[in-house]
Each structure stands twice: as structure tokens, then as C-alpha cells.
Amino acid sequence: QLTESGGGSVQAGGSLRLSCLVSERTFSIFRVGWFRQVPGKDREFVAAPAWVGSSAASADSVKGRFTASGDNAENSAYLQMNSLKPEDTAVYYCAARCTTWQSPNTCEYWGQGTQVTVSS
């Protein structure tokens, strides 16, 4: 149901925008957040948009650089990534209906992931 796109390779300081298309959507697009994972490490929360009763959230490592958003009419969620750093290199996933963003295990739906590589 969730399909990411927009990953690729970019030099440090550059920008990318990831998209997450939600098919057969039965929930608000603003319940879609973003995670990332590098080999050998746990999947970690990156960013999520504001939703009813909660403000936008982001990891300290991306605060001020990454912004999550959504468009219900387009059935799509987005992750705008600016000022990219080599340490942002990872597979990025969108996920939906997470009980808590800090616990990936609480998410009901996942995309297949898209690779982002940032070179120095």
C-alpha cells in the first residue's frame, strides 16, 4: 500500500525529496512518517508531520534540515531533505499508523524502502 520514490545519490549539501504514495488509503495521510536504516543498525525515526493533537516531529540529527508533509488529495506523503550529510546515507522508509514514532514496531504499514546516498 505504501510505495516510496525519489531516492538517489547526491553530494553533501544537496537536497532530495522523497515521496510515499499510499494506495487504498483508509487513514489520514498525516499519519505517515519516515524512518531510515543503515546496515547493522536498528531502524530509526526521522520525521513525521503534524497531525490532530500532535505537532510535527523530527529526530535531533535532522532537525532544521528535514521536513515531513502530506497531501490527502494526492494520497502522498513527502520528506524534504536539505543540507544533506554523508551520515544521512541510508535506506529510507515511509510507515503509517504508528502508535508511537519512537517505536518502529508499532507501525502497521511499511513501504519497501528507497536508497539515499550522500557523498562527501
Side-chain angles (χ1 to χ4, degrees):
Q1 283 189 324
L2 277 65
T3 305
E4 298 100 338
S5 61
S9 298
V10 64
Q11 288 192 327
S15 298
L16 283 174
R17 188 175 85 150
L18 305 183
S19 298
C20 176
L21 178 64
V22 182
S23 59
E24 301 178 358
R25 183 170 58 85
T26 59
F27 45 83
S28 169
I29 203 67
F30 297 99
R31 294 202 68 187
V32 176
W34 295 87
F35 296 77
R36 67 186 182 187
Q37 188 170 25
V38 298
K41 292 191 175 182
D42 293 336
R43 194 167 296 188
E44 65 174 3
F45 170 71
V46 175
W51 193 58
V52 176
S54 63
S55 57
S58 61
D60 289 343
S61 58
V62 306
K63 207 172 292 289
R65 300 187 298 122
F66 291 12
T67 303
S69 62
D71 186 329
N72 273 320
E74 295 292 328
N75 289 319
S76 291
Y78 305 100
L79 180 66
Q80 179 65 45
M81 305 185 295
N82 299 326
S83 302
L84 283 160
K85 303 176 181 180
E87 51 264 43
D88 294 320
T89 295
V91 176
Y92 283 72
Y93 299 87
C94 58
R97 297 192 65 175
C98 308
T99 303
T100 170
W101 295 119
Q102 303 309 317
S103 298
N105 291 339
T106 68
C107 301
E108 292 188 40
Y109 303 103
W110 287 93
Q112 82 286 356
T114 185
Q115 177 70 45
V116 171
T117 302
V118 185
S119 58
S120 57

